[in-house]
Amino acid sequence: MNKTYLRWGIVTLVAIATVINYIDRGALGFLWPEISEDLGLTKTDYAIILNVFTFAYAFGQTLFGKIFDWIGTRLAFVLCIGVWSLATMLHAVATSLSGFIVFRALLGVSEAGNWPGATKANAEWFPIRERALAQGIFNSGAAIGGIISAPTVAFLFLFLESWQATFIMIGALGFLWLIPWLVVISLVSV
């Protein structure tokens, strides 16, 4: 297959990963009313969980930037998306504030890898004259993710009738993403 088509496939997959990133991070907020009612958690607990996520995300930017430089874009995306998808699924077994803190921290650290990874993929697979367009494509994933995360989470919750099952299904999206990613990266060498 033509390398030109593969690199556009790569940037499209990175944009889709960004959409999934926003669905995963938004799920807690959309499901919080049911979670707090089931587990007796408070608005203060929610604020603590959000702050932990934010600090972990800030730390994860540097950590995953180093990981992407160390093991390469292809494998680092597998690592960060695999970990963030697992972290999303693990929210389903949280029964306390401490459980949500641990899983949200893991989610924050690993989701942060999407941005240095997307930037590195852009630099590796696109000539300078096409990088702005490629950057625009993967950045659009953030806006699209922000738009579709609420209805996606709501639909899954209404269909599955469980916040736990919703987290599992949302986490599965990242693992499904890995299938085309592994196929595409096996076809191109950098």
Side-chain angles (χ1 to χ4, degrees):
M1 181 174 259
N2 185 326
K3 188 173 179 176
T4 298
Y5 294 118
L6 284 174
R7 63 194 170 99
W8 289 108
I10 288 166
V11 78
T12 300
L13 283 170
V14 171
I16 293 168
T18 307
V19 170
I20 294 169
N21 186 296
Y22 273 73
I23 293 170
D24 288 1
R25 88 172 54 179
L28 180 70
F30 302 129
L31 296 171
W32 188 253
E34 288 75 21
I35 294 167
S36 63
E37 184 178 322
D38 282 356
L39 302 178
L41 298 172
T42 67
K43 290 178 183 178
T44 301
D45 295 331
Y46 182 69
I48 292 167
I49 294 166
L50 287 181
N51 283 326
V52 167
F53 174 84
T54 304
F55 281 113
Y57 192 87
F59 172 73
Q61 291 277 331
T62 303
L63 175 66
F64 265 95
K66 183 64 176 168
I67 290 170
F68 271 86
D69 286 340
W70 182 44
I71 66 173
T73 306
R74 294 186 238 173
L75 291 178
F77 260 120
V78 172
L79 177 65
C80 78
I81 293 175
V83 172
W84 100 46
S85 298
L86 177 63
T88 299
M89 292 174 132
L90 286 171
H91 283 62
V93 300
T95 58
S96 66
L97 174 61
S98 60
F100 279 103
I101 285 172
V102 169
F103 300 141
R104 207 68 185 164
L106 184 60
L107 181 68
V109 167
S110 54
E111 272 199 341
N114 188 69
W115 299 103
T119 302
K120 188 167 178 79
N122 188 13
E124 288 177 348
W125 283 305
F126 287 90
I128 291 171
R129 71 183 185 284
E130 294 177 342
R131 285 186 192 158
L133 175 59
Q135 181 115 1
I137 291 169
F138 79 70
N139 276 339
S140 71
I144 294 166
I147 292 165
I148 71 166
S149 60
T152 301
V153 173
F155 172 78
L156 289 172
F157 178 73
L158 291 173
F159 179 75
L160 299 169
E161 299 180 354
S162 160
W163 62 265
Q164 295 93 337
T166 303
F167 275 116
I168 292 169
M169 187 62 72
I170 291 167
L173 293 173
F175 288 115
L176 289 173
W177 179 92
L178 287 172
I179 297 167
W181 178 257
L182 292 170
V183 169
V184 168
I185 65 170
S186 72
L187 298 174
V188 68
S189 61
V190 175

